[in-house]
């Protein structure tokens, strides 16, 4: 199979980039002093716009490019107070409009990185300025008296014109002098500052570590330290500042002054808070998102010690029929429904319960310190009750249901990932049991489902690694017990579990679609083996019967594939028979029927497997291109032994045989285990039999050996079994119960 490679995004359109760069230039022009003409400004931003667009459209997106764009903005002197804000807003609004809403998550991540890179670069540049100022102070004290006046003049210029706040205090914490930027930042005049001490500017939520650093600096143990902390303005508003506090020593090296340099980063702090909120909340419902839920759940396990008695639970919820609402009424109505569901779920949650939307129509409620499954069951009942009333949306009433998987366990008995895996499996169980209900986690059922999912996940590689093999069970004429055909039965040679029955993997293979390549492989193997028998035994060679899944019939190229396979192997078409279940034939008249018509037209025989179990309209059988009906083995159970004779089974089998012959069909009985049973089936008119009486499923080589012997299979009984006295007296014998041993399911 040719490997498909995902194509990368198309290069950004130059005209679109020009529009984005022009709009960007309009937004930031005048917010900063940039020594560029208008055309130079736009050309510079055009290059940055190209980087941004390529980053958000990359697969996967590259949000880290935003940091480089932020650094380039600062390097080009885009450092005005509103430059960053306007840039972030412009990119967040324009990029989804230009390139579609699917880039919105990438844009949010990139703008966050841009803000961080911008702030870090601006801060580093500011710190460089701060360090230059401090060095200027030290150098000024070392100059001679003749140069002192000039040095102080330069310092004053820097002190008064600096964009960051600068303050000078003595070693007792009294503020001696502040620059204009500091007065604007706090709203105090210079004189009011001189009445304050450093301690009076403290915030009540300052960590003790901040003041321990300050005390060490006053003692001369530190020359400087940097920290981000909050302050109160004169009007009571809180500002966040990046503080650098340095110690100024005298000529003898003793601490003399403290120099504070403060950058107001409140705007950046608010932006970071906003971005953090977006990162942890669902934009449609405002509930916590998957990232927030996962972080909270993992913290529950991280905080619990090895001997903790703490318990945790989740209700994992999926809306029933939500896709139908979206497809029929539109995504706008679907979004309104999700918002209303989120509101109702939020009303159900109590203290210690986090409601999150994890994606699509899936929600989850985390219950910390659950103290038993009863609390989770009560919560699930409240959720179903809250969702029961119809939702009135866009002028119409809509019903919404949900299936809920409930899991509650001790924290020490599981992990966060195992808890969510169990919740997912339990939710699947609730849906399978009829939807609109909750199901509680069952460890035994979980183990079975896990094994099933494990096999499902391993199936594609098992087909690729050729881990499947084919056995053949003879189809015998009931008149002389000679072999007429063989049925191909697939087995899985699992590398760890050994040989696995089809009952364990056919269902998952059909669900995952692996049944198509698996069926193709079995069909090819069977045709090659049948070709070898035909080459050796000629007209005495058996035909081969191969089961075909309903999904294979929907493959548009099935008929052509079979024709090519027969041509490639040299097997005559009448030596191939395909088997399908009764349900597969009677539930879809489209593609399957066309495929069967095509197969039959080339000479391939068609058989209906497990006939009599589909509860379908039997008159429909006349319209189907069928050659053989295979009676389900359950109908012959009452005919196995004379003393366990069942008149009802006899009448059912006789009716089905008459029906098949009336339609000119060959009738094959499955599950034949005793000679008496074979004889009774022959009396009732069955043409062929299959079961352990004749042979189990055999490798291809053993089938050839059996054909070379040419002997009848099984005990050939000619006497008709007499009717038991119990039935002649009008009583009804007990039916024998026992496992099916025909080899077809084991």
């Amino acid at each position: 199979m040719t490997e498909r490679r995902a194509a990368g995004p198309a290069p950004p359109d130059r005209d679109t980039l020009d529009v984005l760069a022009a709009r960007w230039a309009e937004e930031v022009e005048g917010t900063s002093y940039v020594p560029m003409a208008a055309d130079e400004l736009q050309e510079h931003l055009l290059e940055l716009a190209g980087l941004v667009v390529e980053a958000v459209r990359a697969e996967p997106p590259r949000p880290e490019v935003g940091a480089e764009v932020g650094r380039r903005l600062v390097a080009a002197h885009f450092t005005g107070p509103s430059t960053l804000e306007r840039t972030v807003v412009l990119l967040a609004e324009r990029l989804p409009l230009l390139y579609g809403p699917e880039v919105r998550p990438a844009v949010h991540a990139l703008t966050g990185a841009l803000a961080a890179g911008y702030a870090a670069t601006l801060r580093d540049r500011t710190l460089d300025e701060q360090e230059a100022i401090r060095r200027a102070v030290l150098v000024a004290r070392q100059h001679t008296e003749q140069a002192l006046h000039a040095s102080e003049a330069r310092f004053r210029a820097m002190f008064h014109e600096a964009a960051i706040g600068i303050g000078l205090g003595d070693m007792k914490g009294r503020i001696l002098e502040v620059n204009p930027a500091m007065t604007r930042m706090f709203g105090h005049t210079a004189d009011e500052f001189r009445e304050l001490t450093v301690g009076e500017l403290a915030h009540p939520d300052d960590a003790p570590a901040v003041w321990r650093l300050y005390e060490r600096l006053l003692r001369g143990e530190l020359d400087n330290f940097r920290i981000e902390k909050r302050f109160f303005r004169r009007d009571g508003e809180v500002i966040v500042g990046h503080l650098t506090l340095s110690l100024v020593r005298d000529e003898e090296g003793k601490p003399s002054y403290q120099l504070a340099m403060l950058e107001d980063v409140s705007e950046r702090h608010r932006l970071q808070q906003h971005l953090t909120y977006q990162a942890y909340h669902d934009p449609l419902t405002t509930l916590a998102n998957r990232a927030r839920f996962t972080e909270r759940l993992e913290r529950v396990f991280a905080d619990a010690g090895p001997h903790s008695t703490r318990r945790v639970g989740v209700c994992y919820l999926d809306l029933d029929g939500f896709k139908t609402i979206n497809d029929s009424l539109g995504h706008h109505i679907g979004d309104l429904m999700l918002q209303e569901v989120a509101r109702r779920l939020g009303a159900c949650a109590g203290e210690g319960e986090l409601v999150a939307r994890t994606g699509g129509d899936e929600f989850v409620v985390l219950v910390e310190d659950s103290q038993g499954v009863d609390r989770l069951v009560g919560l699930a009942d409240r959720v179903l009750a809250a969702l029961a009333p119809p939702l009135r949306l866009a002028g119409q009433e809509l019903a919404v249901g949900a299936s809920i998987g409930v899991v509650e366990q001790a924290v020490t008995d599981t992990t966060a990932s195992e808890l969510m895996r169990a919740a997912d499996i339990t939710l699947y169980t609730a849906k399978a049991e009829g939807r609109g209900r909750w199901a509680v986690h069952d460890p035994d059922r979980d183990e079975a489902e896990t094994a099933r999912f494990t096999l499902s996940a391993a199936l594609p590689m098992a087909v690729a690694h050729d881990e499947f093999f084919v056995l053949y069970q003879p189809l015998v004429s009931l008149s002389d017990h000679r072999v007429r055909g063989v049925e191909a039965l697939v087995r899985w040679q699992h590398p760890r579990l050994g040989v696995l029955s089809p009952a364990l993997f056919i269902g998952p293979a059909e669900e995952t679609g692996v049944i198509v390549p698996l069926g193709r492989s079995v069909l090819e193997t069977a045709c090659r083996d049948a070709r070898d028998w035909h080459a050796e035994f000629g007209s005495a060679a058996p035909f081969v019967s191969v089961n075909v899944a309903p999904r294979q019939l929907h493959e548009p190229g099935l008929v052509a594939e079979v024709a090519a396979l027969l041509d490639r192997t040299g097997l005559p078409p009448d030596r191939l028979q395909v088997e399908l279940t009764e349900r597969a034939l009677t539930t879809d008249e489209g593609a399957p029927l066309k495929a069967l018509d095509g197969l039959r037209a080339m000479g391939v025989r068609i058989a209906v497997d497990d006939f009599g179990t589909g509860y379908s309209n039997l008159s429909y059988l006349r319209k189907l291109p069928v050659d053989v009906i295979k009676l389900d083995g359950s109908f012959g159970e009452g005919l196995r032994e004379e003393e366990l004779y069942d008149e009802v089974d006899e009448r059912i089998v006789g009716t089905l045989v008459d029906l098949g012959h009336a339609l000119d069909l060959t009738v094959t009985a499955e599950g034949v285990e005793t000679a008496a049973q074979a004889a009774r089936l022959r009396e009732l008119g069955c043409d062929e039999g299959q079961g352990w009486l004749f042979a189990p499923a055999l490798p291809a080589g053993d089938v050839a050996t059996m054909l070379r012997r040419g002997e009848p299979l099984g005990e050939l009984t000619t006497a008709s079994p007499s009717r038991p006295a119990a039935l002649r007296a009008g009583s009804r014998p007990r039916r024998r119960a026992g496992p099916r041993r025909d080899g077809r399911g084991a």
Side-chain angles (χ1 to χ4, degrees):
M1 183 179 295
T2 303
E3 182 180 357
R4 295 183 177 179
R5 299 184 179 272
D13 179 64
R14 176 57 186 262
D15 292 338
T16 306
L17 286 180
D18 285 337
V19 172
L20 179 60
R23 186 62 185 273
W24 196 349
E26 290 175 8
E27 288 293 327
V28 301
E29 187 174 13
T31 62
S32 304
Y33 174 74
V34 181
M36 293 183 186
D39 55 343
E40 292 177 327
L41 172 62
Q42 185 169 337
E43 190 64 25
H44 180 77
L45 293 177
L46 177 62
E47 181 182 356
L48 298 186
L51 292 176
V52 168
V53 171
E54 288 180 0
V56 300
R57 297 181 68 208
E59 290 295 335
R62 296 186 295 115
E64 67 275 7
V65 172
E68 177 60 23
V69 173
R71 287 191 289 271
R72 291 199 186 185
L73 286 173
V74 175
H77 303 288
F78 291 92
T79 56
S82 59
T83 302
L84 175 60
E85 178 185 358
R86 293 189 180 186
T87 295
V88 170
V89 171
L90 170 73
L91 296 180
E93 291 178 352
R94 298 294 298 180
L95 288 176
L97 292 176
L98 293 173
Y99 297 101
E102 62 272 12
V103 304
R104 195 180 301 278
V107 171
H108 287 165
L110 182 134
T111 53
L114 188 151
Y118 182 97
T121 306
L122 184 60
R123 183 191 63 192
D124 291 343
R125 195 180 77 168
T126 301
L127 293 177
D128 290 341
E129 291 179 356
Q130 295 172 354
E131 187 64 18
I133 294 172
R134 190 178 74 86
R135 290 175 180 172
V137 173
L138 295 176
V139 170
R141 293 184 59 84
Q142 296 172 0
H143 278 26
T144 62
E145 288 294 331
Q146 293 80 7
L148 183 59
H149 180 73
S151 297
E152 288 181 350
R154 287 193 296 271
F155 171 74
R156 287 296 172 185
M158 296 175 64
F159 185 82
H160 285 280
E161 299 302 326
I164 63 172
I166 303 175
L168 189 66
D170 62 19
M171 298 308 295
K172 294 183 179 180
R174 291 191 297 263
I175 298 174
L176 303 177
E177 193 170 358
V178 293
N179 71 343
M182 187 76 87
T183 61
R184 291 193 298 269
M185 196 180 300
F186 281 84
H188 290 293
T189 65
D191 290 337
E192 288 172 339
F193 262 114
R194 294 186 186 97
E195 299 295 325
L196 299 173
T197 64
V198 173
E200 291 176 295
L201 296 176
H203 192 281
D205 294 336
D206 280 345
V210 175
W211 295 100
R212 285 197 292 270
L213 287 172
Y214 180 65
E215 291 169 359
R216 291 184 62 196
L217 183 133
L218 293 180
R219 293 196 298 267
E221 297 174 5
L222 295 175
D223 283 331
N224 58 71
F225 67 84
R226 298 173 180 175
I227 196 165
E228 192 171 282
K229 67 184 297 292
R230 288 177 291 176
F231 298 90
F232 282 116
R233 283 176 48 87
R234 183 181 183 184
D235 57 11
E237 181 184 347
V238 175
I239 61 173
V240 181
H242 189 86
L243 173 67
T244 299
L245 198 59
S246 302
L247 187 65
V248 180
R249 300 177 184 270
D250 60 18
E251 295 177 354
E252 297 178 358
K254 296 179 180 179
S256 181
Y257 299 99
Q258 48 182 310
L259 179 67
M261 288 170 281
L262 187 66
E263 177 190 3
D264 186 356
V265 295
S266 303
E267 199 66 35
R268 188 193 74 191
H269 192 74
R270 283 191 289 270
L271 178 61
Q272 287 178 332
Q273 287 181 322
H274 176 68
L275 294 175
T276 300
Y277 181 87
Q278 286 185 322
Y280 287 103
H281 288 80
D282 173 48
L284 178 63
T285 63
T286 71
L287 293 177
N289 62 9
R290 180 186 293 274
R292 175 62 175 152
F293 169 80
T294 302
E295 179 187 67
R296 183 92 162 258
L297 178 62
E298 289 177 346
R299 192 169 65 212
V300 170
F301 285 87
D303 292 345
H307 305 294
S308 173
T309 59
R310 192 175 187 182
R311 302 183 69 84
V312 64
V314 294
C315 285
Y316 195 22
L317 178 150
D318 181 85
L319 300 184
D320 296 330
F322 178 74
K323 184 178 185 299
T324 303
I325 298 294
N326 258 354
D327 293 344
S328 59
L329 301 180
H331 288 271
H332 172 64
I333 299 299
D335 288 347
L336 293 177
M337 175 176 283
L338 291 174
Q339 290 171 339
E340 176 61 17
V341 168
R343 187 191 65 78
R344 295 188 184 188
L345 290 178
C348 292
E351 185 177 354
E353 298 174 353
L354 173 69
V355 182
R357 179 189 177 206
T358 55
D361 60 340
E362 293 182 353
F363 298 83
V364 63
V365 185
L366 171 64
V367 181
E368 301 182 29
D369 301 310
S370 50
Q371 303 301 321
V373 74
D374 290 345
R375 179 176 174 184
L376 273 297
V377 170
L379 173 61
D381 283 332
R382 292 200 308 274
V383 167
L384 293 179
L387 297 180
L391 283 66
R392 187 161 188 82
L393 302 172
Q396 53 187 319
E397 287 191 346
L398 299 174
V400 59
S403 301
I404 305 175
V406 176
V407 182
E408 197 276 343
Q409 291 180 313
V411 173
T412 53
D413 291 344
T414 186
T415 64
S417 60
E418 289 175 355
L419 185 76
M420 290 310 299
R421 181 184 56 80
D424 191 29
I425 292 175
T426 308
L427 171 61
Y428 177 85
T429 301
K431 281 191 172 294
E433 291 177 351
R435 303 190 174 193
R437 65 186 64 202
W438 50 260
V440 177
H441 170 58
D442 181 349
D444 294 335
R445 182 177 59 202
D446 181 31
E447 184 177 349
E449 288 294 327
T450 300
R452 180 173 176 274
F453 292 155
T454 301
L455 290 179
S456 296
L459 275 170
M461 294 307 298
V463 173
H465 293 161
D466 200 21
E467 294 178 5
F468 294 89
F469 65 95
V470 180
L471 300 178
Y472 301 93
Q473 188 170 40
L475 297 165
V476 175
S477 169
L478 290 179
S479 62
D480 58 9
H481 285 209
R482 301 285 180 179
V483 177
R484 287 189 178 180
V486 293
E487 180 180 356
L489 305 173
V490 64
R491 300 290 187 267
W492 184 357
Q493 183 65 56
H494 195 281
R496 284 192 306 105
L497 304 177
V499 177
L500 299 183
S501 159
L504 295 175
F505 62 81
I506 290 298
E510 290 178 338
E511 292 174 5
T512 59
V514 176
I515 193 68
V516 174
L518 175 59
R520 186 181 296 122
S521 173
V522 171
L523 184 61
E524 178 151 359
T525 299
C527 287
R528 291 189 183 279
D529 289 338
R531 185 269 318 275
D532 293 341
W533 299 326
H534 187 264
E536 181 175 353
F537 302 104
S539 60
F543 65 85
V544 64
S545 188
V546 182
N547 290 276
V548 175
R551 188 158 182 173
Q552 289 177 266
L553 289 179
H554 286 83
E555 290 293 305
L558 176 65
V559 176
E561 283 184 13
V562 173
L565 177 60
L566 293 175
D567 183 64
R568 188 166 61 250
T569 59
L571 179 69
D574 63 352
R575 296 290 87 191
L576 174 63
Q577 174 176 293
V578 297
E579 293 188 23
L580 303 102
T581 63
E582 183 181 352
R583 290 182 185 274
L585 285 170
T586 57
T587 56
D588 192 336
E589 300 183 27
L593 190 55
K594 292 180 181 178
L596 294 180
D597 286 335
L599 292 173
R600 197 163 187 235
M602 72 173 70
V604 175
R605 290 156 49 97
I606 310 296
V608 181
D609 195 14
D610 297 332
F611 186 78
T613 62
Y615 307 104
S616 61
N617 183 357
L618 297 181
S619 64
Y620 183 62
L621 194 61
R622 299 179 59 187
K623 306 175 184 178
L624 297 173
V626 174
D627 301 285
V628 180
I629 57 173
K630 299 183 71 175
L631 304 185
D632 186 73
S634 61
F635 293 120
E637 289 180 359
L639 309 178
R640 288 177 182 167
E641 307 290 347
E642 290 188 38
E643 64 273 15
L644 297 175
Y645 175 83
D646 192 306
E647 185 179 18
V648 174
D649 277 356
E650 179 178 302
R651 290 179 178 177
I652 291 174
V653 172
T655 300
L656 294 176
V657 170
D658 290 342
L659 171 66
H661 287 167
L663 297 174
D664 197 24
L665 302 177
T666 300
V667 180
T668 302
E670 299 177 329
V672 181
E673 298 187 2
T674 68
Q677 184 183 15
R680 192 68 190 131
L681 289 168
R682 182 175 66 250
E683 276 196 358
L684 292 172
C686 280
D687 303 296
E688 298 172 352
Q690 175 183 359
W692 279 56
L693 171 65
F694 308 114
L698 303 170
D702 291 355
V703 171
T705 300
M706 177 186 67
L707 293 174
R708 293 186 189 104
R709 288 199 302 265
E711 300 172 354
L713 300 182
E715 180 183 350
L716 185 59
T717 302
T718 57
S720 172
S722 61
R723 200 172 177 186
L727 283 182
R728 289 195 299 271
S731 61
R732 181 178 178 86
R734 184 178 59 185
R735 300 183 66 176
R736 186 185 72 171
R740 177 176 178 177
R741 299 189 292 109
D742 60 8
R744 302 184 72 251

